[in-house]
Amino acid sequence: MATVTDSLQNRLKQKALLLMCAIFFVIAALSVYFIEVLTQSAQEKNLALKHRIVEQAFNGYLARAEDEMKFIGQDLSLSNYVVGRELDLLFSHHEVLFFGGLDFFYIEWTDGRYSMDPRARLFTKVDLRSVLDDGLINRWTSVETKDNATLLMLKTTLLSDEQDNTGFLYGFISLNDNLTLVNELLESAGVSAVRIYDVSHNRVLLEEHRTGVDQSDAMLRARLPLISPVQADLLLDVIETHTFSSVLFSNALPLISAVFLVLFGFYFVLSRQIKTAIFQPIEAMVYDHEEAVLPYVELQPIQHQSRQLVASIKAKEQRFMLLAESIHSAIVFCNEIAEIELLNPEAQRIFPGSDKARTVFDFMPIACHQPIQEALKGNVGVTFDLTFNELGQIYHWQAHSFKNESGYRGLLLVGKNITQETRLTWQLDQLQPLSSSYQKTVDSDAVLSELAYLAKLPNSVGSDSLKGWLSLLLSVLDDIALVESDVDLMPLGTVFCQESERVMLAMGVEANRAKIDCSVETGAKVVAVDAHFRGLIRVLLMMVMSNDMAERRLSVRFNKTELEMVAMNDMALRPLFFWMIKRLLADVNGQQKTLQNGALQLNMAMQEQESDAPQPSLAPNRVVAWVANDYPNADAVSEALERFGLIVKSYVSVDSFFTQSSALSQFDAVLIGCDKETEAQANITLSLKLKHKRDHLPIVWLNSTLPVDVAEHVYTLQGGFFDYNLYQVLLKACSVEGICTVHANEQDMCWVMVGGSRVTKAIWYTELEQYNIATQWLADLHSHHVVLSYQPKAVVVLLEAQPAAEIEAAQSAFPNVAFYSVQRWPEMPDNVVFFDMVSPNSSEQIRFFTQDVMKQNTNSRSNE
């Protein structure tokens, strides 16, 4: 990867530019800030003036209300009116009442009568006599009613013509939603909001703001005492919005522009000084090759380090030249285009015309041009030999690519004189060669390596497995030692079955460790088999079985007349197996190669022999039950059965088989898998024999280990299965009469149990078994068609609530099915018969329910 370079001059200019920009922004921000502070101070002084204007507007409003009170008092004192008709008199002067400052008034006469302005009910619902005691003669007071109405009240005396006291007149101004007063206060000084606060009573009398004013924005506030005729300690808050305006920036723009021009000029002068005072002298020193000490103190350490590096390089070059001239090898250095850079004396001696050549291709023979070109491309391990007839010498050349000082790929050619070694080799070839019998014996190092590996095995496996492994090795060595052996014609799959069983019998470990991929077509091909071929298969099974990789597979297939076997293995450090495979392949005329994933591939010509006996086949649509239990890799068995064209019904355990298999009428074969639970395998076999009252049933055992006791009349598939041997054992099993799950002597009615917990299922299963009722257990009705297709007259017992749509769909598809429920839910369809049973269901309740349902079914059949 190329090194990224940078310019110190550009970096310094960038740093200076960043510094100037930072200074400019700081000065601009400070300018805007101070101008804003001055502007805000001026606005606050102006706001104090507006406070006085709002105060005058408030007092003017109160003065107008007092004049209205005087008019009302004079009108009551000087006018002749009927007692009780004073309100009619007053409201005849409506232009004064409706356009005055008072919101309403109240008259209290000395004789106990009172007259109330009907407008009072627009502002408060309480009895005004509760607040009259707070009134002061000719003084405004603030009162607050029980319904939270805030009022200003003024009390005056009513006098007759004779100056006698006839009563009191009370005037009220409402401070709640008083649009007239608020509008006068806001418009008088053009402020955004006003607020009147009563300090003596610790309450807000009036608070209002203009429409559209967002009080969350920045606001300026002036809070000063309110001097008014109101008998209270009042504070008046005058509030105005404060936002940044374009005037602020226009005022600051000249100052900011001046600062920008000054800083720009300073940056230009600074850049010129940096280039003139620093970088131009440094550039001049680069082209000055004098050995004098540099005039700058900062650069002297770099100069000292450079001189040390040059001295070190010269010393290494001298040592290399001494080494190149002292060794008895020819050394040639060339660059990326094969131009000669260095030849040591040995190379100059064997290539006398090299001093006139420009590239190595000019004096090197044509035969070595291609290896040199491959080395220049970067290939590793390029070697070639050159014979110099005129010198009577042979040189073995090795080409090594390297990166030179320019960063390109150079080439080093090292030629070693191998004349003496070659001469000795020719002399040894003239000696009597080793006997062929000795060449065929096993390498002692390979045997010792395998024994050293096996010496560690007893720590992890038993002694019996170790003995079996050694016996297998000896049997393979015996097959290798045979010069001639009998040849048998048999299917290829049968050979794999026999050898797999032999390996498992000797080892006693899990058969599924070696997965054989042998199709039915491949296994059915009849081939000639001898001891060497059997030994080869045995070695491959041992290699795959002892493989510690994730995949332990041996694949077998025919490619026209050639047999191909691919074995996954990790035995790179166990040469004995490769020696045995090499010897056995030589006997069967085969070839081997290692694939990219480390697998070993063997190919050998093998002619298929014709067979007179016809090949049997399984009839299509045979029904096979696969009871997996704890058998490993159970899904592979299901996939193989489906490839055969069979109908596979899989069951995870013996219990699921007995509780669910009654949905089908007949199984053509039952495959029972087992790994450790051999007792379950034996129990299901015994139960089926007792139930069907015959010993010869189509039952197949699939075991991953060798079972100790095998039941009579049972077909076994011991060891790891593959398509061919599974197919063969199914042919034998399907030749026997199938297993009928429903017999004529049993009832023809199947009960389908839906839902329920494990405890509930166990209780119901125990009780229904006493009546010999065939049951099928479903988690829900989602897959009802699988069961009801075989039992169109089934009894469906709902142990849990089910969707109404599922029940109706099942009833529509199978009209003869009867639905019963032991619990009620809101959306239960009408076609479901409900039996009221207390949860948890007891044995007695289940017994009564079963008898009742069986009785109903018997009556319905008799009516039919």
Side-chain angles (χ1 to χ4, degrees), residues 363-407:
F363 60 86
M364 296 285 281
I366 298 177
C368 61
H369 286 187
Q370 184 176 358
I372 294 176
Q373 291 175 349
E374 293 177 356
L376 284 172
K377 295 177 181 179
N379 290 354
V380 180
V382 177
T383 60
F384 57 91
D385 294 336
L386 283 181
T387 302
F388 299 92
N389 296 324
E390 64 277 5
L391 299 177
Q393 293 177 346
I394 300 175
Y395 277 80
H396 177 74
W397 293 85
Q398 292 181 340
H400 304 278
S401 62
F402 65 95
K403 292 293 182 67
N404 56 24
E405 63 275 4
S406 300

Side-chain angles (χ1 to χ4, degrees), residues 177-192:
D177 300 328
N178 194 332
L179 300 180
T180 303
L181 174 59
V182 169
N183 187 59
E184 289 188 9
L185 296 180
L186 294 175
E187 295 296 336
S188 62
V191 295
S192 300

Side-chain angles (χ1 to χ4, degrees), residues 489-498 516-527 556 611 614-616 618 640-641 643-644 717 720-732:
L489 296 179
M490 63 175 58
L492 180 63
T494 304
V495 181
F496 276 92
C497 292
Q498 295 174 354
I516 303 174
D517 183 8
C518 180
S519 64
V520 178
E521 293 77 12
T522 301
K525 294 183 181 296
V526 179
V527 295
V556 184
S611 177
Q615 293 294 332
L618 289 173
L641 295 174
R643 284 195 297 270
F644 299 159
L717 181 62
F721 80 95
F722 52 96
D723 285 11
Y724 176 78
N725 63 352
L726 182 61
Y727 194 85
Q728 295 302 317
V729 75
L730 285 175
L731 285 175
K732 298 177 182 178

Side-chain angles (χ1 to χ4, degrees), residues 781 798 802-812 819 825 829 831-832:
L781 279 177
L798 305 178
Q802 300 295 318
E806 293 285 352
I807 298 176
E808 293 173 357
Q811 187 72 75
S812 177
F819 288 87
W825 66 92
N831 62 318
V832 179

Side-chain angles (χ1 to χ4, degrees), residues 273-284:
Q273 290 298 320
I274 289 173
K275 182 177 181 181
T276 304
I278 300 176
F279 291 101
Q280 284 183 353
I282 293 177
E283 185 178 358

Side-chain angles (χ1 to χ4, degrees), residues 223-285:
R223 168 172 286 192
L224 296 172
L226 176 61
I227 301 175
S228 67
V230 179
Q231 187 66 25
D233 185 8
L234 301 180
L235 291 178
L236 174 62
D237 291 350
V238 178
I239 305 170
E240 192 172 45
T241 57
H242 174 68
T243 58
F244 290 96
S245 63
S246 60
V247 178
L248 174 64
F249 293 99
S250 63
N251 293 335
L253 184 60
L255 179 60
I256 295 174
S257 300
V259 172
F260 175 77
L261 293 175
V262 172
L263 291 177
F264 178 77
F266 179 73
Y267 170 73
F268 178 76
V269 173
L270 181 62
S271 299
R272 294 292 300 174
Q273 290 298 320
I274 289 173
K275 182 177 181 181
T276 304
I278 300 176
F279 291 101
Q280 284 183 353
I282 293 177
E283 185 178 358
M285 285 185 296

Side-chain angles (χ1 to χ4, degrees), residues 24 226 456 567 626 763 850:
F24 170 74
L226 176 61
K456 304 176 182 178
W626 166 228
I763 297 173
T850 305

